[in-house]
Amino acid sequence: MEILVCVKKVPDPAENEIAVRRDGSDIDRDDLVYSVNEWDNYAVEEAIQLVEEHGGSVTVVSVGDEESDEIIRRELAMGADAGKLLDDEAFHYSDGRGVAAILAHAARQAQYDLILTGAQAEDAAAQVGGMLAAMLDLPYASLVVRVEVKEGDKLEIAREIDGGNLEINEIDLPCALSIQTGINEPRYVGIRGIRKTASVEVPVLGAAELGLDPGTVGRAGAKVRKLDYFVPELGQGAEILQGSREEIADQLIARLRGRGVIQ
Amino acid sequence: MAPQVFVYVAHRGGQAADPALELLSAARVLSPNGPVIAVAAGHGAGLDQVCRDMAGRCLEVWKLSNEALAYPNAEAIRKCVTGVLPSGAVLLLAHDTLGMDLGPGLSIKLDSPFVSDVVAMDPPQDGVLKLVREEYGGQVSTHLSCDISGGAVLSIRSGAFPASEETAVGEVRDKSPDIGDLSCGRRFIKIVGAEAGDVDITKEEILVSVGRGIEDEDNIEIAEDLAKALGGVVSCSRPIVDAKWLEKPRQVGTSGKTVKPKVYLALGISGSFQHLGGLKGNPFIVAVNKNPKAPIFQVADVGVVDDLLEFVPLLTEIIDNH
Ligand SMILES: Cc1cc2nc3c(=O)[nH]c(=O)nc-3n(C[C@H](O)[C@H](O)[C@H](O)COP(=O)(O)OP(=O)(O)OC[C@H]3O[C@@H](n4cnc5c(N)ncnc54)[C@H](O)[C@@H]3O)c2cc1C
């Protein structure tokens, strides 16, 4: 099975407090720690496991800047076979549709049986997978938490819906799926593993190499534009307890006692 | 000119899903006085019931009935909606597990821009809509502009708009004959219900809930000790279940359990809308988080800005010594 996995570099939510730059033009990116989007990492692991069981290869592709090369290498270290970086000035400020169009052009360069994306990214809108599938006219399912290969070029997949219920579907290959967290346990890769991929060539493809009209993507093609970032006015908000750790604990106990939680 | 606005009404068991009335309110931002058309797809008596109910809410309801729509398969719904909507239509749907499945692809097939998970918007000016979305789990928000003059698909966050109280004497129009071929490469098989666990967190009055801030599986004990001291049980956010540190039936949220405790202690939980979506009944919320800007502090009653790994053991110790 030939599998394409779309991945993205994002500020790691577990490592960062996200703040807005004073002029509102962007989040404050100084000192941010980046990592691969959590959902995408599950998608890569799933692809690797499918290939381990059924043969084939995993290609990882990212629309990003130079620094996304690092993310691709991280996924190569996990066990992906090849990586491609889609980078061009013309791609900057693409909306979701623009990103999907860029990926669709990359996907058309080879015959993939399965295309995986993460269900969403911390800094985006849970849209690229579904758009990409529609552009390529592939059957699609989102929020997938189980994939099984069936006879006759089909998959049986489980989508996780409300309340943790599972919706079981059959889907024809080739198809595109967006992966929900928890589908597997992504393998750990260390810095040394990533270094070992240094000799692997990760080609950088721009609009020309992808045969893409630059005017249809990037800022020029975007119908949805980000105007600014802001932190919404807090409502009433919590009463933040003040004092030493002990004093705060005592105050909290008093509040809980007031609620009858502690006798 | 006001755009032609449609709301997609998801339903189950003959009842419109909760967001339907919120979508109608959102639609009023786009079309303050004009007609809003509800679209419902399905099959059988349940669909008829939903259409009749919605006709009490808006002037026009489009009924899309077909056997292939008996279960809400987004692939089939997309084909069917693409086939019947006029060009330039603005369609609103809920940002939930169906909306996430349906919206992005639908926008491509309608050749319209898409904005997901909208939490607020201003009335359009010269065909351009200004909207608000959140990023990074609600830590920051963004304003976006979207040119809706040629149509749009917008998915709306649950709870962001009030339920519409409008009533109407509307008409159900059966658009089913306009539906083309709905065969698609994805077929619904069945629903498998969520697993049950050793404890039922939906019945507990005191929940000590842990999130990614607990950092390590071994630290779960810290929460268990506090739960024991308070006579409550431990629940969690999704990443804790993803990491297999706790069982799925302990997960609070839209894809987990809906709980209604009296007291909810959120330890190292940022307060994403999917998590808070499972917290009902207006509990007394205590948040412990080392990030003073964590969104959880906006909904909590009492907040402690501290490292939970230091604070919680101390709290437990003081309670135990009383
Ligand atoms: C379709 C869908 C359904 C979902 N359903 C659910 C659901 O049902 N339930 C759910 O919970 N999530 C759900 N999610 C995931 C959700 O979007 C968030 O990713 C998740 O809720 C984040 O969990 P968290 O708050 O534990 O982690 P994070 O957002 O990573 O927050 C961790 C918090 O811990 C704090 N912290 C870190 N270290 C410490 C420390 N030592 N002391 C104190 N604080 C610390 C940080 O400041 C941060 O605020 C769903 C997502 C999708 C796409």
Side-chain angles (χ1 to χ4, degrees):
Chain A
M1 186 152 20
E2 296 304 315
I3 308 180
L4 181 69
V5 192
C6 308
V7 304
K8 177 178 182 182
K9 184 190 83 170
V10 296
D12 187 341
E15 301 286 339
N16 300 295
E17 292 172 10
I18 308 288
V20 175
R21 266 166 53 172
R22 195 171 305 168
D23 65 0
S25 61
D26 194 1
I27 58 168
D28 193 347
R29 293 187 188 269
D30 299 342
D31 312 318
L32 280 190
V33 179
Y34 287 89
S35 63
V36 60
N37 176 40
E38 187 183 359
W39 281 265
D40 303 348
N41 203 44
Y42 282 97
V44 172
E45 175 63 36
E46 194 61 22
I48 293 170
Q49 289 188 15
L50 284 168
V51 164
E52 280 171 352
E53 205 179 319
H54 304 281
S57 77
V58 179
T59 303
V60 174
V61 64
S62 184
V63 178
D65 54 15
E66 281 163 22
E67 283 156 40
S68 299
D69 181 76
E70 202 179 300
I71 296 309
I72 295 175
R73 289 188 192 281
R74 193 188 174 284
E75 308 305 295
L76 291 173
M78 275 175 83
D81 301 277
K84 287 181 185 176
L85 175 60
L86 312 180
D87 184 12
D88 194 313
E89 207 143 330
F91 299 170
H92 297 179
Y93 301 103
S94 289
D95 61 4
R97 186 197 184 91
V99 172
I102 298 163
L103 290 168
H105 277 76
R108 287 196 196 100
Q109 292 193 322
Q111 293 273 330
Y112 295 105
D113 303 297
L114 181 60
I115 299 179
L116 302 182
T117 67
Q120 65 176 31
E122 287 289 338
D123 60 347
Q127 59 189 0
V128 162
M131 289 180 169
L132 177 60
M135 286 174 180
L136 297 170
D137 268 321
L138 293 176
Y140 172 69
S142 67
L143 299 167
V144 172
V145 290
R146 195 174 72 221
V147 179
E148 268 174 62
V149 178
K150 293 281 170 188
E151 290 281 300
D153 288 332
K154 281 190 302 233
L155 302 177
E156 188 177 295
I157 53 136
R159 295 184 63 232
E160 198 185 89
I161 57 170
D162 294 348
N165 293 324
L166 298 181
E167 181 196 286
I168 315 297
N169 291 269
E170 183 180 84
I171 190 163
D172 297 334
L173 290 169
C175 69
L177 306 175
S178 83
I179 301 297
Q180 172 64 311
T181 56
I183 185 173
N184 52 41
E185 292 177 75
R187 63 199 70 189
Y188 175 79
V189 288
I191 267 296
R192 284 180 56 207
I194 297 175
R195 278 207 202 108
K196 277 195 197 145
T197 68
S199 59
V200 181
E201 201 211 335
V202 174
V204 182
L205 308 177
E209 290 85 355
L210 293 173
L212 176 68
D213 173 0
T216 59
V217 296
R219 199 192 288 277
K223 283 196 191 163
V224 179
R225 293 183 183 188
K226 222 172 262 185
L227 302 174
D228 65 6
Y229 283 84
F230 66 102
V231 177
E233 290 281 316
L234 294 188
Q236 178 97 71
E239 175 201 3
I240 303 293
L241 300 180
Q242 310 283 351
S244 71
R245 200 166 264 156
E246 282 76 12
E247 285 163 4
I248 289 176
D250 285 337
Q251 292 173 51
L252 180 53
I253 289 168
R255 301 286 190 291
L256 293 171
R257 197 168 277 136
R259 299 257 145 192
V261 179
I262 302 174
Q263 301 312 312
Chain B
M1 207 186 77
Q4 208 171 3
V5 182
F6 293 80
V7 301
Y8 184 80
V9 178
H11 55 95
R12 190 190 292 163
Q15 276 207 315
D18 285 343
L21 298 181
E22 297 174 14
L23 294 179
L24 285 177
S25 294
R28 278 281 167 248
V29 177
L30 300 171
S31 172
N33 308 306
V36 171
I37 302 174
V39 180
H43 189 62
L47 175 63
D48 292 332
Q49 183 60 49
V50 169
C51 288
R52 274 197 301 275
D53 290 350
M54 288 310 294
R57 295 295 189 162
C58 46
L59 284 173
E60 207 170 315
V61 181
W62 288 11
K63 173 173 131 176
L64 300 168
S65 176
N66 188 293
E67 253 187 318
L69 301 168
Y71 181 83
N73 174 345
E75 294 283 286
I77 297 172
R78 193 185 72 209
K79 275 193 157 179
C80 146
V81 171
T82 314
V84 301
L85 281 194
S87 73
V90 175
L91 178 72
L92 306 189
L93 37 78
H95 182 72
D96 55 15
T97 57
L98 176 62
M100 289 173 85
D101 217 25
L102 176 61
L106 183 61
S107 76
I108 296 302
K109 294 299 178 191
L110 292 172
D111 199 16
S112 297
F114 176 62
V115 184
S116 74
D117 197 15
V118 173
V119 298
M121 54 189 173
D122 293 339
Q125 287 194 335
D126 301 327
V128 177
L129 192 61
K130 189 172 169 193
L131 316 102
V132 178
R133 294 187 74 253
E134 292 180 350
E135 292 189 0
Y136 303 101
Q139 288 188 76
V140 298
S141 296
T142 61
H143 285 114
L144 302 157
S145 71
C146 176
D147 179 351
I148 62 165
S149 55
V153 177
L154 309 174
S155 78
I156 308 291
R157 170 159 324 168
S158 157
F161 291 84
S164 163
E165 291 174 358
E166 261 181 66
T167 56
V169 184
E171 181 193 352
V172 178
R173 292 176 60 181
D174 190 356
K175 292 274 179 179
S176 312
D178 299 347
I179 301 175
D181 171 33
L182 294 185
S183 59
C184 56
R186 171 176 145 196
R187 293 159 298 274
F188 170 73
I189 300 177
K190 64 178 175 198
I191 297 287
V192 177
E195 47 189 301
D198 52 345
V199 288
D200 184 356
I201 61 170
T202 67
K203 301 223 160 67
E204 293 291 332
E205 295 201 335
I206 301 170
L207 290 175
V208 177
S209 213
V210 294
R212 191 158 15 214
I214 197 81
E215 289 176 15
D216 195 283
E217 184 168 14
D218 293 338
N219 295 334
I220 303 270
E221 219 183 321
I222 295 174
E224 279 164 355
D225 291 343
L226 178 59
K228 204 183 293 161
L230 294 173
V233 305
V234 172
S235 57
C236 64
S237 68
R238 183 172 181 112
I240 302 303
V241 174
D242 289 340
K244 312 256 181 322
W245 295 349
L246 287 171
E247 306 263 299
K248 182 83 179 170
R250 299 228 184 206
Q251 180 190 321
V252 174
T254 54
S255 63
K257 298 275 188 252
T258 298
V259 297
K260 33 187 186 325
K262 290 208 169 105
V263 176
Y264 191 75
L265 286 90
L267 312 179
I269 291 177
S270 62
S272 70
F273 79 92
Q274 287 107 343
H275 185 77
L276 298 175
L279 197 50
K280 296 275 144 88
N282 199 19
F284 182 72
I285 302 176
V286 178
V288 181
N289 198 302
K290 67 179 183 185
N291 177 4
K293 299 210 185 89
I296 188 77
F297 288 126
Q298 293 174 33
V299 297
D301 296 280
V302 172
V304 175
V305 180
D306 199 355
D307 182 343
L308 79 91
L309 302 178
E310 303 279 347
F311 178 75
V312 175
L314 176 75
L315 179 68
T316 308
E317 193 187 308
I318 299 178
I319 295 171
D320 280 342
N321 288 343
H322 266 289

